[in-house]
Amino acid sequence: MQISRKSPLPLAGEGNYKPNPSMTQDELKTQVAQAALRYIAHRTIVGVGTGSTVNKFIAALGSIQHQIRGTVSSSNASTERLQALGIPVFAADAVESIDVYIDGADEIDSHGYMIKGGGAALTREKIVAAQSKRFVCIADASKKVDVLGAFPLPVEVIPMAAARITRQFAALGGQATLRMQDGAPLRTDNGQHILDVRGLHITDPLAFETTVSQWPGVVTVGVFAYQKAHVCLLGTQQGVQVLEF
Ligand code: 5RP
């Protein structure tokens, strides 16, 4: 049984929905985070992504935490938030499958293909998504695009391969820069580096993901085509739109 009927927020088009045309981006994120509760079934395991939209989802999950078995988390940051609320977090390899994965995106197109990794958690996000039966993306309307690539593409790399991978992207017309944090290269939860690649126009996300994933030293490319979203809850001024792919 879905918990959905207990969700406090109606979706766009539902009888009791009242549009509020002056919502901030933050309020749109809150709205989609709460709408995601509709996709969680009783006594199941929920995959939890990473980022500011997911932080709002974690807060909403706190209100129904006794109705789920627990979660699998995609980052140390999300694990800390879940545990602070007393929500059980299982290791990914301790559970066979995950009912639903809830995560944000940096860009999503009309097929459910995404760019992810703005929060540097793309590798674990892809692992948890791959283990989940359904991926529900929660995003405000600014994330919806026709073609992926305006957002700098995050790529997690083994540090010794970063310079060569930078040259390989240059050959495709992309400019890769090493992501920094506090004056030093950012280290992911897996101890690796992130390249952010600008100038790409990704017209065939499946082919792009296939190609870049094979470059030696690439841990994870932030194109989620094989692990695409099945549903996107898109926060708009007209309400939460449900896109199914
Ligand atoms: C983290 C991610 C996030 O889902 C993505 O960056 C969107 O974040 P936000 O909800 O803060 O806009 O991929 O690695």
Side-chain angles (χ1 to χ4, degrees):
M1 184 179 78
Q2 297 292 121
I3 292 171
S4 63
R5 284 172 214 99
K6 296 188 178 172
S7 174
L9 278 171
L11 304 178
E14 288 185 346
N16 49 351
Y17 177 72
K18 291 193 187 67
N20 172 1
S22 57
M23 273 186 289
T24 63
Q25 189 181 32
D26 201 57
E27 288 166 336
L28 294 175
K29 289 181 180 188
T30 301
Q31 214 185 33
V32 292
Q34 293 187 351
L37 296 182
R38 290 169 173 253
Y39 289 81
I40 297 171
H42 278 274
R43 304 301 305 154
T44 54
I45 294 176
V46 180
V48 178
T50 300
S52 59
T53 316
V54 166
N55 289 346
K56 293 173 182 297
F57 169 69
I58 292 173
L61 195 60
S63 67
I64 60 154
Q65 60 175 289
H66 300 299
Q67 299 173 47
I68 62 169
R69 272 171 63 203
T71 60
V72 172
S73 168
S74 63
S75 64
N76 294 340
S78 290
T79 298
E80 278 171 26
R81 282 178 181 264
L82 289 160
Q83 290 177 337
L85 291 174
I87 301 174
V89 180
F90 303 119
D93 57 4
V95 303
E96 214 164 274
S97 93
I98 298 165
D99 195 59
V100 64
Y101 179 59
I102 312 283
D103 199 358
D106 298 302
E107 287 184 347
I108 183 163
D109 73 10
S110 57
H111 301 282
Y113 298 144
M114 295 168 285
I115 284 183
K116 292 185 44 53
L122 63 164
T123 296
R124 296 187 188 194
E125 290 173 343
K126 210 175 257 193
I127 291 169
V128 183
Q131 214 171 327
S132 301
K133 291 183 192 148
R134 190 142 78 139
F135 189 144
V136 175
C137 174
I138 50 176
D140 66 86
S142 69
K143 308 293 183 64
K144 182 76 173 41
V145 297
D146 291 332
V147 177
L148 301 178
F151 186 90
L153 175 70
V155 185
E156 183 164 354
V157 299
I158 304 288
M160 68 178 283
R164 196 203 69 250
I165 292 167
T166 297
R167 289 193 292 275
Q168 288 187 268
F169 275 118
L172 297 183
Q175 303 87 48
T177 51
L178 189 60
R179 195 181 300 183
M180 305 293 283
Q181 188 177 51
D182 302 328
L186 176 143
R187 289 273 175 189
T188 67
D189 286 353
N190 313 305
Q192 309 304 335
H193 287 169
I194 297 278
L195 293 174
D196 291 304
V197 189
R198 290 172 175 74
L200 296 172
H201 196 67
I202 304 169
T203 52
D204 187 344
L206 281 166
F208 186 92
E209 185 176 2
T210 302
T211 299
V212 176
S213 298
Q214 289 172 24
W215 294 352
V218 168
V219 178
T220 303
V221 57
V223 168
F224 281 50
Y226 289 99
Q227 270 71 50
K228 70 172 198 163
H230 299 102
V231 175
C232 177
L233 301 178
L234 195 69
T236 76
Q237 298 293 349
Q238 287 73 45
V240 177
Q241 288 179 7
V242 182
L243 312 178
E244 291 184 351
F245 308 106

